[in-house]
PDB file of all heavy atoms in Angstrom:
ATOM      1  N   PHE A 527     -10.438  17.021  44.166  1.00 97.00           N
ATOM      2  CA  PHE A 527      -9.894  15.771  44.103  1.00 97.00           C
ATOM      3  C   PHE A 527      -8.680  15.735  43.174  1.00 97.00           C
ATOM      4  O   PHE A 527      -7.640  15.099  43.676  1.00 97.00           O
ATOM      5  CB  PHE A 527     -10.995  14.799  43.665  1.00 97.00           C
ATOM      6  CG  PHE A 527     -10.486  13.340  43.275  1.00 97.00           C
ATOM      7  CD1 PHE A 527     -10.319  12.643  44.461  1.00 97.00           C
ATOM      8  CD2 PHE A 527     -10.352  12.907  42.124  1.00 97.00           C
ATOM      9  CE1 PHE A 527      -9.788  11.398  44.344  1.00 97.00           C
ATOM     10  CE2 PHE A 527      -9.819  11.708  41.952  1.00 97.00           C
ATOM     11  CZ  PHE A 527      -9.567  10.846  42.969  1.00 97.00           C
ATOM     12  N   GLY A 528      -8.761  16.418  42.065  1.00 97.00           N
ATOM     13  CA  GLY A 528      -7.534  16.476  41.340  1.00 97.00           C
ATOM     14  C   GLY A 528      -6.260  17.014  41.938  1.00 97.00           C
ATOM     15  O   GLY A 528      -5.277  16.553  41.694  1.00 97.00           O
ATOM     16  N   ASP A 529      -6.561  18.176  42.591  1.00 96.00           N
ATOM     17  CA  ASP A 529      -5.408  18.767  43.134  1.00 96.00           C
ATOM     18  C   ASP A 529      -4.783  17.970  44.372  1.00 96.00           C
ATOM     19  O   ASP A 529      -3.539  17.817  44.485  1.00 96.00           O
ATOM     20  CB  ASP A 529      -5.954  20.062  43.825  1.00 96.00           C
ATOM     21  CG  ASP A 529      -6.252  21.051  42.687  1.00 96.00           C
ATOM     22  OD1 ASP A 529      -5.737  20.938  41.533  1.00 96.00           O
ATOM     23  OD2 ASP A 529      -6.833  22.034  43.036  1.00 96.00           O
ATOM     24  N   TRP A 530      -5.733  17.205  44.930  1.00 97.00           N
ATOM     25  CA  TRP A 530      -5.232  16.193  46.130  1.00 97.00           C
ATOM     26  C   TRP A 530      -4.396  15.146  45.514  1.00 97.00           C
ATOM     27  O   TRP A 530      -3.288  14.724  46.025  1.00 97.00           O
ATOM     28  CB  TRP A 530      -6.448  15.624  46.836  1.00 97.00           C
ATOM     29  CG  TRP A 530      -6.040  14.657  47.834  1.00 97.00           C
ATOM     30  CD1 TRP A 530      -5.628  14.918  49.122  1.00 97.00           C
ATOM     31  CD2 TRP A 530      -6.153  13.279  47.539  1.00 97.00           C
ATOM     32  NE1 TRP A 530      -5.360  13.635  49.653  1.00 97.00           N
ATOM     33  CE2 TRP A 530      -5.707  12.541  48.829  1.00 97.00           C
ATOM     34  CE3 TRP A 530      -6.481  12.407  46.515  1.00 97.00           C
ATOM     35  CZ2 TRP A 530      -5.498  11.227  48.950  1.00 97.00           C
ATOM     36  CZ3 TRP A 530      -6.469  10.962  46.728  1.00 97.00           C
ATOM     37  CH2 TRP A 530      -5.911  10.415  47.805  1.00 97.00           C
ATOM     38  N   CYS A 531      -4.925  14.499  44.341  1.00 97.00           N
ATOM     39  CA  CYS A 531      -4.039  13.402  43.577  1.00 97.00           C
ATOM     40  C   CYS A 531      -2.752  13.930  43.330  1.00 97.00           C
ATOM     41  O   CYS A 531      -1.781  13.196  43.417  1.00 97.00           O
ATOM     42  CB  CYS A 531      -4.818  12.991  42.434  1.00 97.00           C
ATOM     43  SG  CYS A 531      -6.341  12.098  42.753  1.00 97.00           S
ATOM     44  N   ALA A 532      -2.728  15.178  42.692  1.00 96.00           N
ATOM     45  CA  ALA A 532      -1.390  15.704  42.271  1.00 96.00           C
ATOM     46  C   ALA A 532      -0.389  15.906  43.389  1.00 96.00           C
ATOM     47  O   ALA A 532       0.785  15.704  43.307  1.00 96.00           O
ATOM     48  CB  ALA A 532      -1.624  16.970  41.438  1.00 96.00           C
ATOM     49  N   ARG A 533      -1.003  16.569  44.552  1.00 97.00           N
ATOM     50  CA  ARG A 533      -0.198  16.874  45.683  1.00 97.00           C
ATOM     51  C   ARG A 533       0.326  15.597  46.287  1.00 97.00           C
ATOM     52  O   ARG A 533       1.633  15.620  46.742  1.00 97.00           O
ATOM     53  CB  ARG A 533      -1.070  17.641  46.721  1.00 97.00           C
ATOM     54  CG  ARG A 533      -0.272  17.891  47.951  1.00 97.00           C
ATOM     55  CD  ARG A 533      -1.108  18.888  48.898  1.00 97.00           C
ATOM     56  NE  ARG A 533      -2.333  18.235  49.343  1.00 97.00           N
ATOM     57  CZ  ARG A 533      -2.407  17.530  50.375  1.00 97.00           C
ATOM     58  NH1 ARG A 533      -1.385  17.254  51.084  1.00 97.00           N
ATOM     59  NH2 ARG A 533      -3.510  17.076  50.809  1.00 97.00           N
ATOM     60  N   ASN A 534      -0.399  14.499  46.196  1.00 97.00           N
ATOM     61  CA  ASN A 534       0.092  13.251  46.794  1.00 97.00           C
ATOM     62  C   ASN A 534       0.856  12.276  45.881  1.00 97.00           C
ATOM     63  O   ASN A 534       1.140  11.194  46.334  1.00 97.00           O
ATOM     64  CB  ASN A 534      -1.068  12.536  47.529  1.00 97.00           C
ATOM     65  CG  ASN A 534      -1.614  13.216  48.793  1.00 97.00           C
ATOM     66  OD1 ASN A 534      -0.865  13.040  49.837  1.00 97.00           O
ATOM     67  ND2 ASN A 534      -2.577  14.144  48.570  1.00 97.00           N
ATOM     68  N   GLY A 535       0.841  12.727  44.606  1.00 97.00           N
ATOM     69  CA  GLY A 535       1.584  11.918  43.597  1.00 97.00           C
ATOM     70  C   GLY A 535       0.980  10.629  43.391  1.00 97.00           C
ATOM     71  O   GLY A 535       1.659   9.632  43.134  1.00 97.00           O
ATOM     72  N   ILE A 536      -0.283  10.503  43.350  1.00 97.00           N
ATOM     73  CA  ILE A 536      -1.069   9.385  42.985  1.00 97.00           C
ATOM     74  C   ILE A 536      -0.953   9.141  41.567  1.00 97.00           C
ATOM     75  O   ILE A 536      -1.125   9.829  40.691  1.00 97.00           O
ATOM     76  CB  ILE A 536      -2.592   9.650  43.320  1.00 97.00           C
ATOM     77  CG1 ILE A 536      -2.815  10.088  44.739  1.00 97.00           C
ATOM     78  CG2 ILE A 536      -3.369   8.251  43.034  1.00 97.00           C
ATOM     79  CD1 ILE A 536      -2.404   9.091  45.798  1.00 97.00           C
ATOM     80  N   GLY A 537      -0.560   7.849  41.289  1.00 96.00           N
ATOM     81  CA  GLY A 537      -0.386   7.472  39.900  1.00 96.00           C
ATOM     82  C   GLY A 537       1.087   7.532  39.394  1.00 96.00           C
ATOM     83  O   GLY A 537       1.863   8.198  39.945  1.00 96.00           O
ATOM     84  N   GLN A 538       1.248   7.144  38.159  1.00 93.00           N
ATOM     85  CA  GLN A 538       2.422   7.031  37.410  1.00 93.00           C
ATOM     86  C   GLN A 538       2.461   8.423  36.712  1.00 93.00           C
ATOM     87  O   GLN A 538       1.563   8.865  35.928  1.00 93.00           O
ATOM     88  CB  GLN A 538       2.597   5.965  36.503  1.00 93.00           C
ATOM     89  CG  GLN A 538       3.789   5.986  35.628  1.00 93.00           C
ATOM     90  CD  GLN A 538       3.835   4.707  34.714  1.00 93.00           C
ATOM     91  OE1 GLN A 538       3.221   3.649  34.993  1.00 93.00           O
ATOM     92  NE2 GLN A 538       4.357   4.943  33.465  1.00 93.00           N
TER      93      GLN A 538
END
Side-chain angles (χ1 to χ4, degrees):
F527 177 70
D529 294 339
W530 174 84
C531 289
R533 180 171 62 83
N534 286 279
I536 305 297
Q538 176 183 330

